[in-house]
């Protein structure tokens, strides 16, 4: 950014010097140079605003990251709990099935 500011200052100085000269038709060069300078000034302002918006978005993302991690951890715990309870149910059903199979084989 330091070199950009230096280049901008040199460019502005060069533009000021050019504005003192006249072209072939006797018109001063100040008007076109001034339009370009205003355009550059607007571009710099837009760039500054975009950088500020980027920094704001970056901070919001940093702030939201722990909340998202906490949410994922909670979902992970819920899934583990669900797996455990389903496993217990499946084990219970398997035991009941084994009992039924044994009782039907004894009855034959």
């Amino acid at each position: 950014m330091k070199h950009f500011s230096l280049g901008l200052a040199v460019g502005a100085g060069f533009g000021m010097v050019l504005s003192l000269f006249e072209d072939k038709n006797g018109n001063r060069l100040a008007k076109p140079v001034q339009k370009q300078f205003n355009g550059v000034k607007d571009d710099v302002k837009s760039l500054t605003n975009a950088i500020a918006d980027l920094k704001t978005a970056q901070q919001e993302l940093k702030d939201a990251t722990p909340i998202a991690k906490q949410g994922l951890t909670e979902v992970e715990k819920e899934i583990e709990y669900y797996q455990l309870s389903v496993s217990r149910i499946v084990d219970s059903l398997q035991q009941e099935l084994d009992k039924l199979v044994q009782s039907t084989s004894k009855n034959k």
Side-chain angles (χ1 to χ4, degrees), residues 24-79:
K24 294 178 187 176
N25 300 330
N27 297 327
R28 292 208 178 257
L29 299 174
K31 211 169 215 179
V33 172
Q34 187 177 16
K35 286 180 184 177
Q36 289 179 354
F37 179 72
N38 288 337
V40 169
K41 195 165 59 171
D42 291 341
D43 290 344
V44 168
K45 185 177 179 180
S46 296
L47 180 62
T48 303
N49 290 339
I51 289 172
D53 291 344
L54 177 64
K55 286 181 181 180
T56 302
Q58 183 181 20
Q59 186 60 41
E60 288 174 359
L61 181 62
K62 281 182 182 179
D63 293 343
T65 300
I67 295 169
K69 283 183 182 179
Q70 181 183 4
L72 288 175
T73 303
E74 289 175 9
V75 168
E76 190 176 273
K77 287 179 183 178
E78 292 283 333
I79 290 172

